[in-house]
Amino acid sequence: MPAAQALPAQEPGTRPARALPYELHVRGEADFDDDTVKLHFANTGKAAAVFQVRKGGSADGPWTYTVGPGAQLSDVWTFPEGTAYDLSVYGPNGFMRAFRGSLSRRDKANLTVRSRYGERGGVTLDVQNHGASHAKVRITDVYTQHAAVHEVRSGDSFIHHSSLEASGDWYDFVIEVESDSTFLQRVAGHVETGEDSVSDPAIGK
C-alpha cells in the first residue's frame, strides 16, 4: 500500500447519458406565525423516487420520503421562535433543493419557488413574494455565472426562464434577496425530455 494516498481525479468533459424517468418537484413555504417550514414533494415522472431531507447545523434527521409516480406528499419542520431555518433536499439524478432564511421578523424575505420543465428542455421558475416587503431578487445560473435581477412587490410574482442549451439541460440556480442576507434558495437537477443526454458538465470540469 503506497504511503501517500489520494483519490483519483475526475476525467474531464462529459459522457453520453441515457434518458431517465424522473420529473421531480419540491416547494418550500415558510410560516412566520407558526415558525414552521413546510415542504411539498411531488413526482410527475414515470418512476418512484426517494427524497432525503437534511437539516443544517443539527444532528436531527435525515428524513427519507418515497414518492410514487403521480403522487405527492408534504411534511412540516418547526423551528425555535424567531430563529433561522436551513433545509436541503436531495433526490436522484442530481436533484437538489435548498431552503434557508430567517423567521425572526416579518420584514425578512419569504419567497416560494415553483419549477416547471419544458417538454423539449429548459426550466421555468415561478417566484412568488409572500413577504411583507418589496424584494429585489437575484437569480444566478451557477453553470454560466450569469445573474438576473427581478424586482417584485409584496404579494406579486414573476417568471424566470432558462433554455439550458449550453449545459445539456442541467440546471443550478441560486436565488437570493438583496435586503436579506439570510435568505437563499437553490434549485438544481436535470430536465428529462425522453431523449438521451449528457452527464453533468460541472462534474467534468
Side-chain angles (χ1 to χ4, degrees):
M1 180 179 295
Q5 300 185 44
L7 292 172
Q10 172 67 42
E11 293 183 3
T14 60
R15 299 292 183 270
R18 294 290 189 187
L20 296 174
Y22 297 117
E23 188 173 278
L24 309 175
H25 311 266
V26 176
R27 184 179 82 258
E29 295 179 348
D31 189 324
F32 284 41
D33 293 325
D34 295 336
D35 292 297
T36 61
V37 175
K38 187 174 187 178
L39 297 184
H40 303 270
F41 305 84
N43 181 357
T44 54
K46 299 178 180 179
V50 176
F51 298 92
Q52 187 176 86
V53 180
R54 295 181 177 271
K55 188 177 182 181
S58 172
D60 296 341
W63 300 266
T64 301
Y65 304 85
T66 300
V67 185
Q72 54 186 326
L73 58 85
S74 301
D75 205 353
V76 178
W77 283 258
T78 300
F79 294 84
E81 183 177 355
T83 60
Y85 60 89
D86 183 353
L87 296 171
S88 298
V89 185
Y90 301 90
N93 199 28
F95 182 91
M96 191 271 281
R97 298 291 188 267
F99 307 92
R100 302 176 195 167
S102 175
L103 299 166
S104 62
R105 298 195 311 271
R106 289 187 176 276
D107 63 346
K108 289 295 186 179
N110 187 5
L111 307 180
T112 61
V113 180
R114 298 173 184 262
S115 57
R116 291 186 280 114
Y117 311 121
E119 293 183 0
R120 297 183 180 181
V123 65
T124 298
L125 303 180
D126 183 349
V127 182
Q128 296 180 311
N129 182 9
H130 296 288
S133 305
H134 172 98
K136 191 172 184 179
V137 182
R138 178 181 297 273
I139 300 179
T140 303
D141 184 330
V142 175
Y143 285 96
T144 66
Q145 291 302 306
H146 175 265
V149 176
H150 304 265
E151 300 206 27
V152 57
R153 293 178 298 181
S154 173
D156 284 352
S157 63
F158 67 87
I159 299 294
H160 179 87
H161 177 75
S162 179
S163 67
L164 307 179
E165 292 179 1
S167 59
D169 280 318
W170 291 90
Y171 63 92
D172 190 348
F173 297 102
V174 175
I175 300 104
E176 299 169 288
V177 175
E178 185 178 89
S179 60
D180 183 0
S181 61
T182 68
F183 182 88
L184 181 145
Q185 289 197 24
R186 191 164 185 173
V187 179
H190 184 255
V191 179
E192 294 292 334
T193 64
E195 302 292 333
D196 291 346
S197 183
V198 296
S199 59
D200 186 348
I203 295 177
K205 289 184 178 180

